[in-house]
Amino acid sequence: MPPRRILVTGGAGQVAADLVPVLRKLHGAENIVAAGHETQPSEAVRDGGPFEYVDACSYQAMERLVRKYDIGVIYHLATILSGEGEQNPGLAWNVNIGSLKVVLDLALETNVDQVFWPSSIAVFGPAAPTEDTPQQTVLEPTTMYGVSKVAGESLCNYYNIKYGLDVRSLRYPGLINHKAFSGGGTSDYAVEVFIAAVKEGHYTCFVDSDTMMPMMYMDDGIKATVDLMAAGASDLSVRTSYNISALSFTAGEIAAAVSDKVPDFTYDFVPDFRQEIANSWPNSVDDSVARRDWGWSPEYDLQALVEVMLREIRLKFGKSN
Ligand code: SER
């Protein structure tokens, strides 16, 4: 049997920049189709295999792509993140839920039989426990991004129960990476701090120094994604979305860890509207169900993350400070 072809939407985005090269290595470059909407993809994603422009909210456009390449698996990463979502809640709902509905319906009509869709720690709101937030707890998000993720998780679960569709999902923490930068996220400060330290020597952080949320180095996020998709279907007890956890640190702690390694780096904290979003999310989540069901465990601690991020960001911007 020829390998199943895989479509990755959100191809110009933060997660795809790391996931697409990994999938191309695993399954052959010609079998991974990355698809983005308007924004410029990284060179590696655009030139390393098939790349297409598509509006993931358009059933017709997505169907054309899925049939053209005889797609069997979709990683549906296209999304509007939390900060941008609060500036434009209507857009966040339409893109996040509209495109997910397109992907799920398309899967029922075509040869697609497995779908990955990212959820987020943003499904939790102020009513959920803040520390070690359990897999199952009250979900009352106070952001449109979180609202769309809760609705999307329920939709995934529904398509699994009603139609037997093999949909799998992770509640990503803030993802820290260096290949392509997210736009409009609340956890972005944990990436911006590295870029600012290397390029400017100063960072003004948009949340307070004692703000804490669950975070993860991107390689661990990609490992979780690939491992979840490879797990035996009968091992999976969760078809909404799995909690996964790696690190929790405050904005002050990450800035201090960077400053230990970058001489003369200075920083301050000037919270903007994203402070309220960050305050509504947990400090840490309990991922014991993911560990039990499919053997999840992360590799990067804070020290390893700071080392690899500084090395890569310095290389990227040609700096040696
Ligand atoms: N990283 C995302 C954001 O900040 C959360 O899933 O919006």
Side-chain angles (χ1 to χ4, degrees):
M1 244 192 23
R4 317 293 321 275
R5 289 225 188 84
I6 298 174
L7 173 65
V8 182
T9 71
Q14 182 195 14
V15 175
D18 282 85
L19 180 64
V20 167
V22 167
L23 292 177
R24 284 181 175 153
K25 214 173 253 171
L26 282 174
H27 304 288
E30 67 287 0
N31 295 315
I32 311 299
V33 182
H37 180 231
E38 289 177 3
T39 36
Q40 196 55 25
S42 69
E43 267 172 43
V45 169
R46 192 194 54 211
D47 302 337
F51 185 89
E52 300 265 359
Y53 286 95
V54 75
D55 174 2
C57 291
S58 162
Y59 189 93
Q60 286 76 12
M62 286 288 285
E63 184 180 18
R64 227 174 294 130
L65 213 52
V66 163
R67 294 204 189 277
K68 175 176 170 189
Y69 291 97
D70 188 21
I71 296 294
V73 179
I74 300 181
Y75 288 73
H76 178 44
L77 305 182
T79 198
I80 301 288
L81 288 173
S82 59
E84 192 183 352
E86 278 327 278
Q87 311 281 38
N88 196 341
L91 180 73
W93 176 265
N94 288 341
V95 170
N96 296 357
I97 288 301
S99 66
L100 177 60
K101 184 77 170 35
V102 163
V103 166
L104 297 175
D105 285 338
L106 202 47
L108 301 184
E109 293 302 320
T110 64
N111 293 330
V112 172
D113 54 23
Q114 206 189 22
V115 173
F116 174 82
W117 180 74
S119 184
S120 163
I121 50 160
V123 292
F124 303 114
T130 315
E131 307 293 336
D132 289 332
T133 311
Q135 174 68 46
Q136 280 184 310
T137 185
V138 56
L139 301 179
E140 291 178 5
T142 49
T143 62
M144 181 51 92
Y145 179 67
V147 168
S148 72
K149 291 296 181 187
V150 171
E153 286 190 4
S154 291
L155 205 57
C156 290
N157 195 43
Y158 179 82
Y159 275 65
N160 178 258
I161 294 167
K162 176 114 176 157
Y163 306 112
L165 186 65
D166 188 1
V167 199
R168 304 178 180 205
S169 176
L170 297 171
R171 290 173 178 155
Y172 284 143
L175 291 169
I176 300 174
N177 72 328
H178 51 81
K179 289 209 173 115
F181 302 120
S182 99
T186 301
S187 58
D188 290 6
Y189 63 87
V191 174
E192 289 178 2
V193 65
F194 289 98
I195 302 170
V198 167
K199 282 177 76 178
E200 332 281 351
H202 180 79
Y203 182 52
T204 297
C205 181
F206 58 77
V207 294
D208 263 335
S209 91
D210 58 359
T211 304
M212 183 182 271
M213 72 176 71
M215 297 279 188
M216 183 178 287
Y217 183 52
M218 183 64 89
D219 283 19
D220 275 333
I222 299 302
K223 178 165 85 91
T225 307
V226 169
D227 287 355
L228 173 67
M229 289 297 270
S234 58
D235 291 334
L236 305 183
S237 64
V238 174
R239 292 296 186 155
T240 49
S241 190
Y242 279 98
N243 281 7
I244 49 167
S245 150
L247 302 165
S248 285
F249 47 74
T250 64
E253 282 164 350
I254 184 93
V258 172
S259 132
D260 277 350
K261 308 270 181 204
V262 181
D264 303 329
F265 172 50
T266 56
Y267 51 91
D268 56 6
F269 302 88
V270 182
D272 69 11
F273 72 99
R274 288 168 285 188
Q275 181 70 54
E276 207 179 317
I277 301 177
N279 289 348
S280 75
W281 293 349
N283 288 347
S284 59
V285 300
D286 173 2
D287 61 0
S288 51
V289 180
R291 286 172 184 266
R292 181 198 68 200
D293 283 5
W294 45 278
W296 157 246
S297 82
E299 281 171 11
Y300 285 81
D301 60 15
L302 181 58
Q303 201 193 326
L305 173 133
V306 169
E307 259 169 44
V308 67
M309 281 295 290
L310 277 176
R311 190 181 66 228
E312 294 297 330
I313 297 283
R314 281 171 174 143
L315 274 174
K316 190 172 187 125
F317 295 109
K319 303 269 186 174
S320 58
N321 64 340

